[in-house]
Amino acid sequence: MAKAAQRITVILFCVFLAVFGCLHLLLPDRAFSPVENRNLSGKPAFTWSALADGSYTAALEKYLADQFPLRDSWMGLKTRYEYLLGKRLFHGVYLCGDRLISKVEENERAGQNADYLRRLGEKTDLPVYLGLIPTAAEIWRDHLPNGADSFDQAAYLEQVKELCPDLIWVDMSGVLAEHAGEDIYYRTDHHWTSLGAYYGYTALLSALGETPLPLGEGETVSESFLGTLYSSSGVHWLQPDTIERYVSGEGVTVEDVAAGETRGLYVDSFLGQKDQYASFMGGNAPLYIIRNPQAAVDEKLLVVRDSYSDSLAPFLSQQFQEVHLLDLRYYRTPVAQYAQENGIDRIFVCYSVDNFVKDADVIFLAQ
């Protein structure tokens, strides 16, 4: 009886290998996984030298894993099984009821990057405004699973504030905490929503001593947004997010300096792609210059930023006639030098805490 069971197990296992082996041969390779939002490995080229040093077998293993038949379905099944066993942290992302919250970890760069901010204030005579944005893991800390570990962003912000007394503090944390009961972050993505970005805009205007423009009525431009946390976590059973816009963009132009083209404030073509958040500005780029002759203030604002500023930019476009959005990951130039050469009136450093504490390119703030 035991031998019969063993035979059946072996036969089933062989059938499984045969079926999936055939599927692997019959199905075309995929270049991109929309679920994981990443490029997949292609078949490696064979050479005797690559076989000898082990690089070919390593690349082949990665290729077979990426091109495994029905990979997305198997990954989803695995995640559901782990969830039923009580797991709540998936690839650095906490599942918190009907939302996903990225875990923020302490980074050895955190202290040094804060010092780069201080040194920026010494490099320029322009007013420098500092707005570090706490992520959902801080503002929605009470949503995290019991015992969940996450970097103390509030304590870090206090340290930065004390280290940089010459910079003008923009209280992003305070304004977001006041509206924590609202949809200020996406449920499937790490960014703040347009509503959260508006509250960030009001914090900046408060630091400027000016009155923010009213929010106005929002327009829903997507009801199918599945963001980065959906892709990276493997939790694929949550409902999509919606994307709202509160600024029409009429009369506003955006110059993509690296691409050498000028377009409108939004790029609607991204709404039909995986990265719908990129519809705000067109995705990551070294430098965008937004111009609006009808803006409230005839000034040039330099925003040293990460991707959180993409959804903040529409509100800034209504306030300043020129907004320069500088991403140090791609445009590596000393910030003080850029400001001087381009007639900037104010500098606004705007990062999420999670990105700021680990970004090696922040060093250009101090040069």
Side-chain angles (χ1 to χ4, degrees):
M1 198 69 178
K3 289 185 177 180
Q6 290 177 356
R7 290 195 186 97
I8 292 174
T9 301
V10 171
I11 291 171
L12 290 175
F13 181 69
C14 291
V15 170
F16 176 86
L17 291 178
V19 169
F20 278 88
C22 291
L23 287 174
H24 185 82
L25 292 173
L26 294 173
L27 295 175
D29 289 347
R30 298 188 303 161
F32 180 80
S33 170
V35 172
E36 298 178 70
N37 194 31
R38 69 177 183 88
N39 294 323
L40 300 177
S41 299
K43 186 180 297 184
F46 175 82
T47 63
W48 288 109
S49 60
L51 180 63
D53 64 21
S55 60
Y56 175 76
T57 52
L60 182 63
E61 182 179 353
K62 195 171 187 305
Y63 162 72
L64 293 174
D66 277 4
Q67 301 298 338
F68 192 82
L70 307 177
R71 172 185 169 86
D72 294 341
S73 298
W74 285 109
M75 289 180 59
L77 182 62
K78 175 179 179 291
T79 303
R80 283 182 178 271
Y81 175 71
E82 292 174 337
Y83 172 76
L84 292 174
L85 292 178
K87 186 175 181 178
R88 294 297 180 269
L89 179 63
F90 303 92
H91 304 288
V93 179
Y94 289 113
L95 174 58
C96 310
D98 66 343
R99 70 189 71 193
L100 298 167
I101 298 178
S102 182
K103 179 181 178 181
V104 180
E105 297 183 297
E106 188 171 2
N107 192 284
E108 61 183 9
R109 297 184 185 277
Q112 184 64 70
N113 284 359
D115 189 59
Y116 292 149
L117 284 169
R118 179 190 62 79
R119 290 162 62 182
L120 171 63
E122 298 173 349
K123 290 282 185 179
T124 178
D125 294 329
L126 295 174
V128 179
Y129 298 80
L130 175 59
L132 296 182
I133 306 162
T135 68
E138 183 66 31
I139 300 300
W140 285 347
R141 184 175 285 270
D142 58 333
H143 290 280
L144 296 177
N146 291 333
D149 179 37
S150 189
F151 178 54
D152 190 343
Q153 299 179 51
Y156 179 69
L157 290 174
E158 286 301 317
Q159 293 173 11
V160 175
K161 190 174 182 180
E162 291 179 8
L163 182 64
C164 306
D166 295 333
L167 273 58
I168 303 168
W169 190 255
V170 179
D171 190 11
M172 295 289 190
S173 183
V175 72
L176 291 173
E178 289 177 7
H179 297 277
E182 302 175 41
D183 293 330
I184 54 177
Y185 299 97
Y186 291 110
R187 292 180 301 100
T188 68
D189 191 73
H190 65 287
H191 293 103
W192 56 7
T193 61
S194 294
L195 181 61
Y198 173 76
Y199 292 134
Y201 155 77
T202 65
L204 174 61
L205 268 288
S206 177
L208 291 170
E210 299 181 12
T211 302
L213 299 172
L215 179 61
E217 186 174 348
E219 176 191 6
T220 300
V221 295
S222 174
E223 295 180 338
S224 60
F225 177 41
L226 295 169
T228 56
L229 302 184
Y230 174 91
S231 299
S232 63
S233 67
V235 178
H236 297 157
W237 57 85
L238 300 185
Q239 292 298 309
D241 280 297
T242 61
I243 294 180
E244 309 285 336
R245 292 178 185 166
Y246 295 93
V247 175
S248 69
E250 183 178 353
V252 179
T253 61
V254 177
E255 180 186 359
D256 185 338
V257 176
E261 61 182 30
T262 299
R263 54 177 182 258
L265 187 58
Y266 303 111
V267 184
D268 287 340
S269 60
F270 280 101
L271 295 175
Q273 301 178 29
K274 177 65 174 68
D275 186 11
Q276 295 187 20
Y277 184 78
S279 64
F280 283 106
M281 289 293 299
N284 294 327
L287 177 65
Y288 289 122
I289 301 177
I290 304 175
R291 297 181 175 90
N292 181 8
Q294 305 304 316
V297 180
D298 183 14
E299 287 187 353
K300 294 182 180 181
L301 176 71
L302 171 60
V303 183
V304 185
R305 57 90 177 211
D306 64 8
S307 57
Y308 273 64
S309 292
D310 288 1
S311 52
L312 177 64
F315 302 110
L316 298 179
S317 74
Q318 304 303 292
Q319 193 69 30
F320 301 92
Q321 289 195 3
E322 273 195 25
V323 180
H324 296 231
L325 296 165
L326 185 66
D327 193 327
L328 294 176
R329 293 173 297 177
Y330 312 106
Y331 197 101
R332 300 182 174 184
T333 188
V335 171
Q337 175 185 330
Y338 180 91
Q340 181 180 12
E341 293 175 350
N342 290 275
I344 298 298
D345 297 293
R346 304 173 190 267
I347 300 173
F348 178 34
V349 180
C350 185
Y351 283 78
S352 72
V353 172
D354 188 23
N355 286 333
F356 183 78
V357 298
K358 60 189 179 186
D359 189 348
D361 297 310
V362 171
I363 190 174
F364 290 99
L365 291 172
Q367 294 184 351

